[in-house]
């Protein structure tokens, strides 16, 4: 007989506290699997969810960067078996029949569910989840290093692809945290010229070590990158900051592309004259395609990218979230069991 309870990192209510709670867990129903989590990364979007005025589900187990083993499967589940390795991302189930689901862009499905938001997430030792939402994860990857690929790595890869760059083009990465440190490595694999931008000297130092051509402080990044490159081909804003967007816009060359990724309830006024006369493209980027995620796992399995992680126990989740809020983490903090 399995335990029917699990320890989880739970957000009690909208804008509430995150605490470690014992949560009831039943048996997997039809189409569901029981997972035992190996590791789950802590993402800035967990803070975003925790700061929302309304929650679709409360109390809510957070987390959407999970690496797990299948423990048991419910009725009708034929493509997963006990012992299989499975990944949890932010994208849960999708409708399978809308315009976006039908064109390989299911991440834009209006009827999607999301782990750690509309579904209970992966910051928990055991979880019961819809089998259709799981992704395959290579056996060769260490769980703690694979976890950040499920959100940070996937999102960074998708954003770089949306930027539409060619080998030798220049890209500025605004925000060198969980997403940024993986975007930097991915950009290097793609042969791009990389400018790292952050407000933390430690992260700028790290960016230089990891192959950024230049590393500049966020405050004057626009002017600095105009001077250095005559403007960059693309700027990815990976941090939820309006001032970073402002500087990123200023850093672009004519016909450059601004890719917005970091999430916040912010507004940003688009400079209309420059956008029009310089032919600037502004686009949002959310997660990536299923093929993008496969490629991210393959690059990690080949040793071409590697998440920089610090590993913690579940009990430490509230403290880790606080350090993330203060921008103190290098790379990704991962909870492991
Ligand atoms: Zn995330
Ligand atoms: Zn759909």
């Amino acid at each position: 007989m399995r335990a029917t309870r699990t320890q989880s990192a739970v957000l009690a209510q909208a804008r509430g506290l995150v605490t470690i709670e014992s949560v009831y867990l039943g048996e997997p129903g039809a189409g569901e699997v029981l997972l035992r989590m190996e590791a789950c990364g802590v993402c800035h979007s967990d803070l975003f969810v925790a700061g929302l005025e309304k929650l679709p589900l409360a109390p809510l187990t957070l987390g959407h960067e999970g690496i797990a083993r299948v423990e048991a499967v419910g009725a009708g589940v034929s493509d997963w078996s006990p012992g299989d390795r499975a990944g949890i991302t932010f994208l849960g189930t999708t409708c399978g029949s809308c315009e976006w689901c039908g064109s390989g862009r299911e991440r834009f499905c209006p009827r999607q569910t999301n782990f750690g938001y509309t579904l209970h997430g992966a910051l928990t030792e055991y979880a019961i989840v819809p089998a259709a939402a799981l992704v395959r994860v290579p056996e060769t990857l260490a769980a703690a290093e694979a976890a950040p690929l499920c959100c940070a790595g996937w999102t960074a890869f998708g954003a770089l692809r949306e930027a539409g760059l060619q080998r030798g083009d220049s890209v500025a990465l605004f925000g060198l945290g969980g997403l940024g440190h993986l975007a930097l490595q991915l950009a290097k694999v793609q042969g791009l010229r990389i400018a790292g931008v952050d407000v933390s000297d430690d992260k700028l130092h790290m960016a230089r070590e990891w192959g950024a051509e230049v590393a500049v402080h966020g405050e004057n990044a626009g002017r600095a990158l105009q001077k250095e490159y005559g403007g960059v081909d693309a700027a990815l804003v990976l941090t939820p900051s309006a001032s970073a967007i402002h500087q990123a816009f200023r850093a672009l060359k004519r016909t450059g592309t601004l890719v917005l990724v970091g999430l916040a309830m912010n507004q940003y006024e688009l400079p209309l004259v420059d956008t029009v006369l310089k032919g600037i493209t502004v686009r949002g980027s959310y997660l990536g395609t299923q093929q993008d995620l496969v490629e991210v796992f393959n690059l990690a399995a080949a040793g071409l990218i590697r998440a920089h992680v610090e590993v913690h126990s579940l009990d430490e989740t509230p403290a880790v979230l606080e350090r993330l809020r203060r921008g103190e983490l290098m790379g990704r903090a991962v909870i492991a069991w």
Side-chain angles (χ1 to χ4, degrees), residues 41-46 64-65 90 150-152 155 179 287 332:
V42 181
C43 177
H44 211 280
S45 299
D46 294 314
H64 56 266
E65 278 188 351
F90 187 64
C150 292
C151 180
T155 302
L179 263 81
L287 303 177
R332 199 55 133 190

Side-chain angles (χ1 to χ4, degrees), residues 40-65:
C40 181
V42 181
C43 177
H44 211 280
S45 299
D46 294 314
L47 287 176
F48 176 76
V49 170
L52 290 173
E53 274 180 35
K54 277 187 186 167
L55 282 181
L57 183 63
L60 171 71
T61 298
L62 292 174
H64 56 266
E65 278 188 351

Side-chain angles (χ1 to χ4, degrees), residues 103-272:
S103 57
R105 297 176 294 168
E106 47 287 282
R107 65 194 187 280
F108 298 115
C109 175
R111 281 180 277 166
Q112 68 188 269
T113 59
N114 301 105
F115 286 109
Y117 180 47
T118 56
L119 299 172
H120 288 302
L123 281 168
T124 178
E125 187 174 7
Y126 291 92
I128 291 176
V129 305
L134 296 175
V135 297
R136 302 270 169 195
V137 181
E139 286 287 341
T140 50
L141 292 173
E145 291 180 9
L149 305 178
C150 292
C151 180
W154 190 21
T155 302
F157 190 95
L160 277 167
R161 190 178 38 67
E162 295 286 0
L165 297 169
Q166 308 285 328
R167 184 167 286 272
D169 285 349
S170 54
V171 63
L173 306 173
F174 282 73
L176 298 168
L179 263 81
H181 90 288
L182 286 166
L184 200 160
Q185 296 177 51
L186 289 163
K188 204 170 173 205
V189 170
Q190 293 172 15
L192 302 174
R193 300 175 67 192
I194 305 155
V197 185
D198 205 285
V199 293
S200 150
D201 289 337
D202 287 346
K203 290 178 185 171
L204 293 178
H205 179 75
M206 180 210 75
R208 279 188 207 97
E209 268 188 6
W210 290 5
E213 200 170 62
V214 295
V216 297
H217 195 276
E219 206 169 312
N220 290 308
R223 198 184 318 151
L225 296 178
Q226 285 296 339
K227 201 170 154 196
E228 186 76 30
Y229 293 95
V232 291
D233 291 293
L236 273 53
V237 185
L238 307 166
T239 178
S241 149
S243 67
I245 297 172
H246 177 67
Q247 291 296 329
F249 189 93
R250 293 185 59 179
L252 292 172
K253 69 156 71 154
R254 287 167 182 261
T255 68
T257 301
L258 179 66
V259 184
L260 303 178
V261 182
L263 268 188
M265 286 298 183
N266 283 347
Q267 304 284 329
Y268 173 68
E269 283 183 28
L270 199 61
L272 190 53

